[in-house]
Amino acid sequence: MRRSRTSYLMIVLAIAGTFCTTGFTSGPRTPATASASVPSAGIDPVDGIGMIYPTKPGGQVWHLSANPSGDPRLDGTPMTSNPDGTFTVRDIKTRIGISTTTYDQRTQEGSLTWRQPDLRFQGFMHDANDWRDVEITGYVRYVSGNDGDAFTWYARGGRHTGEGVAPEACWGTAYKGDLRFSDGGVKFEKEIYHDGGAGYAKGSYQGGGATIKGKMVGFKMVMYNIPGGVRLEAYLDRANNGTWTLVSTRDDTGGWSIDTANPCGGTRDEKVTWGGPKAAFRWDEATRVDLAKLSVREIAPGSEAACPAKLASAGVTASTWEDINPPSNATDGNLATRWSGSGSGAYLTLDMGASRAVCGVNVAWYQGDVRWNDYTVYTSTDNVTYTKAAEGRSSGTTLNPEPYRFAQRQARYVRIAWWNSSAGNGWASITEAAAFGAS
Ligand SMILES: [Ca+2]
């Protein structure tokens, strides 16, 4: 199988990571437990923390430096450094903002796009470098304060201000992940405009247990666009040992609404599909918090690197085939043999034998270097109901497998339906097909 340069890099990083310290403690460093818990995208080479998704090549990244006060991209609450490499914040209204490399809040805030129909179309508030598909990470220890609040990591807007009045209030769009002090529960919120609580589409806490007071805990908020909306994921490293667990996920594909009218020209359930120039870490009601390893990375969630593992096929069938080119030819590992089926809508179905976490297929097309093919990929848990996962036109430039990636879901069956090709002869012909997962 073809493997990209990026995939090799991620494997090297993942292997290297098993020898690194990925946790963070206030006392002596504790080696991470090297285990299957190493995140699928490997270890961040800057700070040694596990990555759920790979950094987008050429994408925006920010890491907390040893000298935060000298960082022009960081604004907000000051922090003091500790001998062990952590920082301490003592502010009951902590706001730590992170700008992209091309945003200067002092001079450019007034020219941000704020009307939501425009944002929907444009895809960003300031420029194409805006934080949109991001993995926001931080280790935090809630030491003292009023237990009623939560750590909140968020992105997809600018400065949050304006108290309901456009345009300022419209800079304050966000998806937010909250980690509650009192029980370690996590929830998502969507801020459609900034006005205290009025602009929020609310969520409810999940996964709570023991208080996180006094413990260094890793918290990640991940957001990325998917077909039809936005996916949110929250991860915790509760034991501070590099073991990241998915605690909550939510897809915003419509219907997640505010109770009030939207002053920014959008709908009450507006999906915040655009990027914004500020990402942020915030909390209230804590008189002391220790923190470390804050980062914001623009991610490539739909990339080959995020979905690198070929899933074994337990069987392959097709809607139609010619005797000399049966469906089994599509999974024999030989690019010189093929399945061929006649007619628009002909399909090939891979059966993995059991439900798996699936995030893509690789398809090699017969004469794929001289023809394009229009296709749709579907997944199913029961071989009855199929859900569209991806569709498009093959490149027409390669005989090698082409990667078609989509948002991860559980499925036993993956179907590739064929509609048309530039050959115009009515034949679907695939030399090799395989389903892929994150691990
Ligand atoms: Ca073959």
Side-chain angles (χ1 to χ4, degrees):
M1 282 291 109
R2 186 175 62 127
R3 198 181 276 288
S4 72
R5 189 180 296 261
T6 309
S7 297
Y8 279 121
L9 176 64
M10 291 307 162
I11 289 166
V12 169
L13 291 174
I15 292 167
T18 60
F19 300 104
C20 291
T21 299
T22 54
F24 205 96
T25 67
S26 61
R29 292 277 185 106
T30 307
T33 50
S35 71
S37 62
V38 173
S40 56
I43 301 298
D44 188 328
V46 176
D47 63 13
I49 301 303
M51 303 186 293
I52 307 301
Y53 293 103
T55 302
K56 180 181 174 182
Q60 290 278 314
V61 294
W62 174 88
H63 292 84
L64 181 63
S65 75
N67 177 26
S69 61
D71 181 346
R73 297 174 62 190
L74 186 156
D75 63 70
T77 306
M79 31 183 113
T80 57
S81 63
N82 300 315
D84 67 356
T86 64
F87 295 85
T88 294
V89 172
R90 300 172 188 272
D91 189 335
I92 59 168
K93 284 193 177 297
T94 292
R95 307 287 182 270
I96 299 169
I98 313 299
S99 296
T100 63
T101 55
T102 49
Y103 181 60
D104 183 340
Q105 181 170 283
R106 291 164 302 170
T107 61
Q108 297 175 319
E109 187 175 54
S111 57
L112 292 175
T113 299
W114 61 271
R115 290 180 181 83
Q116 292 180 356
D118 297 336
L119 288 165
R120 249 181 251 151
F121 175 76
Q122 183 169 280
F124 53 77
M125 190 171 278
H126 174 59
D127 68 14
N129 289 322
D130 280 3
W131 301 117
R132 194 193 80 179
D133 295 356
V134 290
E135 183 170 326
I136 306 172
T137 302
Y139 278 82
V140 275
R141 177 169 44 231
Y142 167 62
V143 179
S144 58
N146 175 347
D147 289 358
D149 205 55
F151 294 111
T152 302
W153 299 174
Y154 63 94
R156 298 202 174 195
R159 190 164 61 98
H160 285 231
T161 185
E163 305 307 327
V165 179
E168 287 85 352
C170 305
W171 304 335
T173 53
Y175 286 103
K176 296 186 167 184
D178 296 338
L179 170 62
R180 188 156 61 179
F181 300 156
S182 61
D183 68 349
V186 168
K187 76 171 178 183
F188 299 118
E189 298 177 299
K190 174 171 63 173
E191 197 167 9
I192 291 181
Y193 67 96
H194 185 76
D195 184 14
Y200 279 97
K202 296 178 175 60
S204 53
Y205 279 102
Q206 296 182 326
T211 177
I212 59 171
K213 192 170 189 174
K215 301 171 189 167
M216 188 64 92
V217 175
F219 177 36
K220 285 180 185 284
M221 172 67 181
V222 177
M223 62 189 80
Y224 54 93
N225 284 5
I226 58 174
V230 183
R231 173 157 300 170
L232 311 177
E233 299 170 357
Y235 297 81
L236 289 177
D237 175 8
R238 291 184 190 277
N240 183 24
N241 64 3
T243 303
W244 290 96
T245 303
L246 177 65
V247 178
S248 189
T249 183
R250 175 171 189 151
D251 287 354
D252 183 10
T253 53
W256 192 15
S257 301
I258 53 177
D259 297 329
T260 55
N262 181 342
C264 307
T267 62
R268 290 190 181 192
D269 68 343
E270 186 72 32
K271 292 173 279 186
V272 182
T273 54
W274 52 87
K278 300 290 293 284
F281 304 84
R282 69 150 277 171
W283 55 88
D284 286 347
E285 308 293 333
T287 51
R288 176 176 174 174
V289 167
D290 298 334
L291 61 86
K293 309 285 187 182
L294 305 187
S295 68
V296 187
R297 294 182 301 107
E298 194 177 0
I299 55 173
S303 72
E304 238 184 316
C307 185
K310 184 176 178 178
L311 303 175
S313 170
V316 57
T317 58
S319 59
T320 171
W321 64 90
E322 58 177 346
D323 290 346
I324 58 168
N325 295 311
S328 57
N329 277 3
T331 57
D332 64 0
N334 181 355
L335 288 171
T337 62
R338 69 181 192 270
W339 160 71
S340 287
S342 178
S344 183
Y347 58 78
L348 184 76
T349 305
L350 302 170
D351 176 2
M352 289 167 286
S355 180
R356 301 291 305 268
V358 185
C359 45
V361 291
N362 279 15
V363 179
W365 300 92
Y366 175 65
Q367 296 191 353
D369 57 341
V370 294
R371 304 175 175 173
W372 53 254
N373 290 271
D374 285 337
Y375 64 86
T376 301
V377 180
Y378 301 89
T379 63
S380 174
T381 56
D382 59 6
N383 203 21
V384 177
T385 303
Y386 276 84
T387 304
K388 186 193 293 186
E391 63 186 354
R393 175 170 289 184
S394 71
S395 70
T397 62
T398 182
L399 293 170
N400 287 320
E402 296 189 353
Y404 306 138
R405 292 297 179 265
F406 44 81
Q408 182 169 292
R409 78 281 312 278
Q410 288 291 319
R412 174 174 167 177
Y413 302 92
V414 175
R415 175 168 291 174
I416 302 142
W418 175 89
W419 309 109
N420 193 18
S421 83
S422 56
N425 62 5
W427 284 96
S429 291
I430 288 174
T431 57
E432 283 296 303
F436 277 70
S439 59

